[in-house]
Amino acid sequence: MAEYPPQRFEQQLVAQPRAFARVRRTVASQLRLWGRTDLVPGAAMCVTELLSNVHKHTATAECVLTLDNLPGGIRAAVTDADAGMPTVKEPDYFAESGRGMFLLSETADTWGVDLNSTGKTVWFELGA
């Protein structure tokens, strides 16, 4: 089993749907650089869901994406300036939206929310 030294990528973003494809490509490139190609599909989908929540549920779409390369996998996080908590609910499969956090919770090995003085960080981890 390969050892992966801890590494971090950080990018300030404006969470706009037109930028999501570019962010997915950035996530994919960074994970490939770290040798985490197997985690690209899940990480790209989960990051998109977090950015979509910032776009839909916060007063400002400004946020920070961080990716951490950990010994057992990766951790991704999106920090925004809103203290509103994400919720996971059983999705309505006929609705056009509302499945994001459910999909994330089913894809990620673990996830959580850390509140801070200016908002929150929603994070998830994927194991190798």
Side-chain angles (χ1 to χ4, degrees):
M1 183 173 182
E3 285 293 319
Y4 295 94
Q7 296 169 302
R8 173 168 275 207
F9 170 85
E10 185 172 300
Q11 183 177 21
Q12 293 186 340
L13 302 168
V14 177
Q16 296 293 334
R18 66 181 178 272
F20 292 172
R22 185 180 73 243
V23 174
R24 284 191 296 273
R25 288 190 300 273
T26 300
V27 168
S29 294
Q30 191 62 49
L31 295 186
R32 285 187 193 104
L33 179 67
W34 290 340
R36 302 294 191 161
T37 303
D38 57 322
L39 301 179
V40 167
M45 188 275 299
C46 290
V47 165
T48 301
E49 295 303 335
L50 293 181
L51 294 176
S52 180
N53 277 352
V54 171
H55 172 72
K56 292 176 185 173
H57 302 293
T58 65
T60 175
E62 294 177 3
C63 60
V64 177
L65 167 68
T66 57
L67 302 171
D68 290 298
N69 187 22
L70 306 172
I74 62 111
R75 178 181 176 116
V78 173
T79 301
D80 64 52
D82 191 289
M85 301 294 280
T87 58
V88 177
K89 57 186 175 188
E90 188 66 30
D92 175 354
Y93 293 101
F94 298 105
E96 290 185 22
S97 63
R99 293 180 287 275
M101 290 307 295
F102 176 80
L103 291 172
L104 185 142
S105 71
E106 292 294 308
T107 302
D109 293 317
T110 187
W111 72 276
V113 181
D114 298 326
L115 293 174
N116 59 55
S117 62
T118 60
K120 69 181 173 303
T121 299
V122 183
W123 55 269
F124 67 86
E125 292 182 358
L126 294 172

